[in-house]
Amino acid sequence: MTFPSKEMTFPSRYVLSLLLILLLSSASRTNSDSVEDSFIHCLNSNSDLSVPFSTFCDQKNSSFGSILQSSAQNLRYLTPSMPKPEFIFTPLYESHVQAAVICSKQLGIHLRVRSGGHDYEGLSYVSEIETPFIIVDLARLRAISVDIESNSAWVQTGATIGEVYYRIAENSKIHGFPAGLCTSLGVGGHITGGAYGSMMRKYGLGADNVLDARIVDANGKILDREAMGEDLFWAIRGGGGASFGIILSWKIKLVPVPETVTVFTVTKTLEQGATKILYRWQQVADKLDEDLFIRVIIQAAEIPGRKGQRTISTSYNALFLGGVDRLLQVMQESFPELGLTQKDCIETSWIKSVLYIAGYPSNTPPEVLLQGKSTFKNYFKAKSDFVREPIPETALEGLWKRFLEEEGPLSIWNPYGGMMSKIAESAIPFPHRNGTLFKIQYVTNWQDGEKNMAKHMEWIRRLYNYMAPYVSMLPRAAYVNYRDLDLGMNNKSNTSFIQATAWGSRYFKDNFMRLVRVKTKVDPDNFFRHEQSIPPLPLQQG
Ligand SMILES: Cc1cc2nc3c(=O)[nH]c(=O)nc-3n(C[C@H](O)[C@H](O)[C@H](O)COP(=O)(O)OP(=O)(O)OC[C@H]3O[C@@H](n4cnc5c(N)ncnc54)[C@H](O)[C@@H]3O)c2cc1C
Ligand SMILES: *[C@@H]1O[C@H](CO)[C@@H](O)[C@H](O)[C@H]1NC(C)=O
Ligand SMILES: *[C@@H]1O[C@H](CO)[C@@H](O)[C@H](O)[C@H]1NC(C)=O
Ligand SMILES: *[C@@H]1O[C@H](CO)[C@@H](O)[C@H](O)[C@H]1NC(C)=O
Ligand SMILES: *[C@@H]1O[C@H](CO)[C@@H](O)[C@H](O)[C@H]1NC(C)=O
């Protein structure tokens, strides 16, 4: 079967699709019927709004590569050897998403859902455990409606978090939302896993600030908070993406921000006493004024003026919810070792601080956020840890040694405390709260494809082993939004429940069992599944 060409006018296309429906619904089905044909047929009989051809893109289509890659962030999952979807379906209406669930279930085609495509292990666009599979890409469901009166907004999940920030700022200079630092994150995947950012010490996570949601469940029904009930509403706010249903939209709670905020970045190398200052940061970062968020970005960098000679650079990258005078006072009292001065600081608006923290060059207009595009893509592997006691200086020195052996090492240390300590571990599935000083993310990234991939993967795994004595234990906790398949993988040759215990307690601690109970109740047949989806209890699998 071939598709009508692009040049076709709307009516003729419409007639053709009607013809197609008639053809497909006639009893005779030939060998040439593809998964896609059956799916299109099923969609049209299950959606009250017609499903245009332009919403499909299969492997034969010349746009396939560009649509698959569009939002995919990790090039490691786009190499030729990675499994590819039969086709990508880009719904235009909520009812298309409902029909996609119904049809994928009816036809037994494995479904992956993608919002912003930033999954660290590519789970929204690659299935390593089942073929054939398809992608439902929410890129065209990205409406945002902000209601300043009620301090809230409804956001469709195909929008990026940067678009959300922009639309809020467009309506008010004194409202914001506390979620991710990287502005191209998709609201769909991001909030399902927690969503931290530079206001977390003041207001908690994005998922802590969700008021309602609309979700398509495993039966293709749309449920809001009232209809889904508090157990499921609890599970989707931090229990990780694509385990319970497809979130169509979130109702988020806006938070107050001052008209003037202050940002700074101060960099110290080993030659400038980086190790001692970082040791001090570990002691104060979670105890600082809640208006102040200072993360540390650690890289290996060439020593200025000394070609080929590398050092460690530690950049203290910060947002303060207030003006520079009070910031300098807070720093003088709590962290004078950094030596922050007035000229390091920039007073700006909240929306411009978003661009600054995301790494856009100064003077980039906020409208860049409406492009919904990521600023960079590379091959990467990452891991995370939570730290409960300061890491001694000698251990830091060992870390630097390992860093200097790798091509593109990066680590980001993210302070906790403040509001993060006040929210109970069981309030939402995200459990990393009081007692956590900071979170570490380790990354290695590279540009030369698969050539040296094994070496990079081995480097980061060895680094992770090295850090074991200095980080949380029993469980060694991890952040679900920094998905890491090294921690274990569900697959068909074993019951996923047993396999899932390997990663479940690390991401969710004691909340894991509650997630399993919710899953067992709402999706006992495990329709929504992937390499690390929450499994239903085996006894009730039937
Ligand atoms: C460069 C970069 C920067 C990051 N910065 C931050 C940060 O500052 N703070 C932070 O907390 N995290 C950060 N992350 C991690 C990020 O939160 C997660 O990768 C998140 O899952 C991305 O969501 P997405 O929609 O973009 O990804 P996707 O790959 O589209 O989705 C991620 C997972 O959620 C599922 N999913 C997607 N949409 C839906 C939906 N509508 N309903 C149900 N399930 C869905 C997918 O199937 C997949 O399993 C960063 C990641 C990257 C790559
Ligand atoms: C190819 O994919 C694009 C994007 O989904 C779609 O608009 C177009 O109709 C497809 N072309 C054909 C010939 O199927
Ligand atoms: C956090 O835990 C410490 C002990 O580890 C306790 O003293 C403190 O009261 C706790 N804070 C909150 C807000 O629960
Ligand atoms: C699936 O699980 C089995 C048993 O745990 C393991 O041997 C196998 O390698 C796994 N398959 C994949 C693709 O990971
Ligand atoms: C299933 O997984 C468990 C735990 O990982 C393992 O002990 C067991 O051998 C596996 N069984 C099979 C059949 O692969």
Side-chain angles (χ1 to χ4, degrees):
M1 190 192 77
T2 52
F3 278 91
S5 78
K6 264 188 193 142
E7 297 80 54
M8 253 175 209
T9 55
F10 172 74
S12 65
R13 202 185 265 197
Y14 187 63
V15 169
L16 255 174
S17 72
L18 274 180
L19 256 174
L20 182 79
I21 292 164
L22 286 173
L23 271 173
L24 286 171
S25 48
S26 68
S28 75
R29 310 200 83 199
T30 65
N31 297 343
S32 69
D33 273 359
S34 67
V35 169
E36 186 178 11
D37 299 337
S38 324
F39 194 78
I40 294 173
H41 174 222
C42 176
L43 281 186
N44 275 300
S45 28
N46 281 285
S47 173
D48 40 2
L49 293 157
S50 84
V51 186
F53 280 114
S54 59
T55 55
F56 289 91
C57 188
D58 62 20
Q59 296 190 5
K60 284 171 284 173
N61 188 316
S62 60
S63 304
F64 180 77
S66 70
I67 292 182
L68 178 65
Q69 288 164 32
S70 58
S71 63
Q73 187 68 21
N74 194 345
L75 298 177
R76 190 156 60 85
Y77 284 96
L78 289 173
T79 59
S81 60
M82 280 295 163
K84 300 290 182 289
E86 290 301 294
F87 61 88
I88 301 166
F89 172 49
T90 309
L92 303 178
Y93 307 104
E94 290 188 335
S95 69
H96 288 175
V97 182
Q98 293 179 276
V101 167
I102 293 166
C103 295
S104 127
K105 197 170 183 177
Q106 218 170 75
L107 299 168
I109 309 166
H110 186 54
L111 176 154
R112 292 290 164 118
V113 58
R114 181 163 77 175
S115 288
H118 281 54
D119 193 280
Y120 276 24
E121 302 278 17
L123 299 191
S124 57
Y125 50 98
V126 174
S127 168
E128 293 187 271
I129 53 176
E130 269 169 88
T131 48
F133 72 98
I134 63 166
I135 298 176
V136 174
D137 191 329
L138 302 176
R140 286 192 231 170
L141 291 172
R142 59 198 314 146
I144 296 168
S145 96
V146 175
D147 182 28
I148 294 296
E149 291 275 279
S150 66
N151 287 319
S152 67
W154 272 105
V155 178
Q156 279 191 311
T157 45
T160 62
I161 197 70
E163 288 173 82
V164 176
Y165 297 155
Y166 182 90
R167 293 298 172 204
I168 295 170
E170 184 184 50
N171 280 277
S172 163
K173 288 192 176 110
I174 53 164
H175 288 77
F177 185 65
L181 307 139
C182 162
T183 52
S184 53
L185 301 171
V187 169
H190 183 44
I191 297 181
T192 57
Y196 81 85
S198 53
M199 295 200 288
M200 63 189 277
R201 303 193 62 249
K202 177 91 172 182
Y203 297 117
L205 307 168
D208 292 322
N209 290 280
V210 168
L211 301 167
D212 202 338
R214 287 169 65 75
I215 179 171
V216 175
D217 73 3
N219 300 315
K221 284 219 183 80
I222 295 183
L223 309 172
D224 65 4
R225 177 175 183 168
E226 200 189 335
M228 78 179 86
E230 287 306 299
D231 268 349
L232 180 52
F233 185 62
W234 175 84
I236 59 175
R237 289 172 295 153
S243 281
F244 301 98
I246 299 182
I247 322 286
L248 294 168
S249 50
W250 301 107
K251 184 182 186 186
I252 59 172
K253 184 170 99 196
L254 308 184
V255 301
V257 298
E259 267 194 67
T260 302
V261 305
T262 308
V263 291
F264 68 81
T265 305
V266 170
T267 300
K268 300 285 180 191
T269 62
L270 292 185
E271 294 69 26
Q272 295 166 316
T275 308
K276 282 212 152 42
I277 298 171
L278 186 59
Y279 186 66
R280 182 67 192 152
W281 174 89
Q282 297 184 70
Q283 294 166 317
V284 300
D286 67 302
K287 296 168 195 76
L288 296 172
D289 189 304
E290 289 182 17
D291 288 332
L292 181 55
F293 168 93
I294 311 178
R295 64 172 177 160
V296 193
I297 302 170
I298 304 169
Q299 285 164 295
E302 198 162 280
I303 303 178
R306 283 196 252 164
K307 201 158 171 44
Q309 221 178 313
R310 294 211 301 171
T311 183
I312 298 296
S313 94
T314 56
S315 290
Y316 293 80
N317 178 235
L319 170 70
F320 181 64
L321 296 170
V324 68
D325 293 343
R326 190 162 67 90
L327 169 61
L328 289 171
Q329 230 172 314
V330 168
M331 286 297 283
Q332 190 51 43
E333 277 159 25
S334 320
F335 192 21
E337 294 82 356
L338 189 62
L340 186 74
T341 65
Q342 179 126 20
K343 71 174 178 3
D344 297 318
C345 301
I346 304 167
E347 285 191 329
T348 187
S349 63
W350 174 72
I351 192 68
K352 288 193 174 156
S353 81
V354 164
L355 296 173
Y356 177 88
I357 298 275
Y360 286 98
S362 59
N363 298 326
T364 306
E367 282 67 32
V368 72
L369 299 174
L370 298 179
Q371 293 174 3
K373 281 197 201 123
S374 56
T375 44
F376 65 93
K377 287 188 187 205
N378 50 24
Y379 296 83
F380 70 93
K381 171 69 191 171
K383 294 178 163 297
S384 59
D385 261 323
F386 289 88
V387 179
R388 305 177 68 89
E389 277 169 48
I391 301 168
E393 287 182 40
T394 50
L396 295 178
E397 277 153 13
L399 182 59
W400 307 154
K401 195 171 134 259
R402 283 165 174 79
F403 255 58
L404 293 171
E405 288 164 3
E406 177 67 351
E407 192 183 312
L410 166 70
S411 188
I412 302 179
W413 295 21
N414 204 97
Y416 272 57
M419 183 55 100
M420 290 301 287
S421 297
K422 292 178 197 148
I423 299 173
E425 282 196 6
S426 59
I428 63 169
F430 180 99
H432 318 288
R433 305 284 186 174
N434 192 22
T436 300
L437 304 184
F438 58 96
K439 181 189 69 202
I440 298 182
Q441 172 176 210
Y442 316 93
V443 187
T444 172
N445 57 72
W446 63 96
Q447 292 295 338
D448 58 349
E450 289 177 291
K451 203 168 116 228
N452 295 310
M453 185 161 100
K455 207 181 80 193
H456 298 302
M457 300 291 276
E458 196 196 310
W459 176 82
I460 199 165
R461 287 170 183 149
R462 272 193 289 119
L463 182 75
Y464 188 70
N465 289 341
Y466 167 75
M467 290 301 288
Y470 311 113
V471 298
S472 67
M473 266 182 271
L474 301 172
R476 183 170 182 182
Y479 178 32
V480 67
N481 262 350
Y482 292 161
R483 201 177 286 292
D484 179 1
L485 293 183
D486 289 352
L487 304 179
M489 191 156 142
N490 304 339
N491 72 31
K492 280 178 134 181
S493 65
N494 206 327
T495 75
S496 42
F497 180 73
I498 294 167
Q499 294 176 356
T501 53
W503 49 263
S505 64
R506 290 160 172 265
Y507 291 149
F508 307 113
K509 297 195 194 174
D510 291 345
N511 294 329
F512 178 60
M513 278 316 295
R514 182 169 172 198
L515 286 168
V516 169
R517 285 195 299 273
V518 176
K519 173 75 176 181
T520 309
K521 199 167 86 188
V522 305
D523 184 18
D525 299 328
N526 204 16
F527 172 76
F528 292 107
R529 61 187 183 274
H530 55 70
E531 286 78 354
Q532 279 186 349
S533 55
I534 305 291
L537 274 172
L539 285 180
Q540 303 184 23
Q541 266 175 323

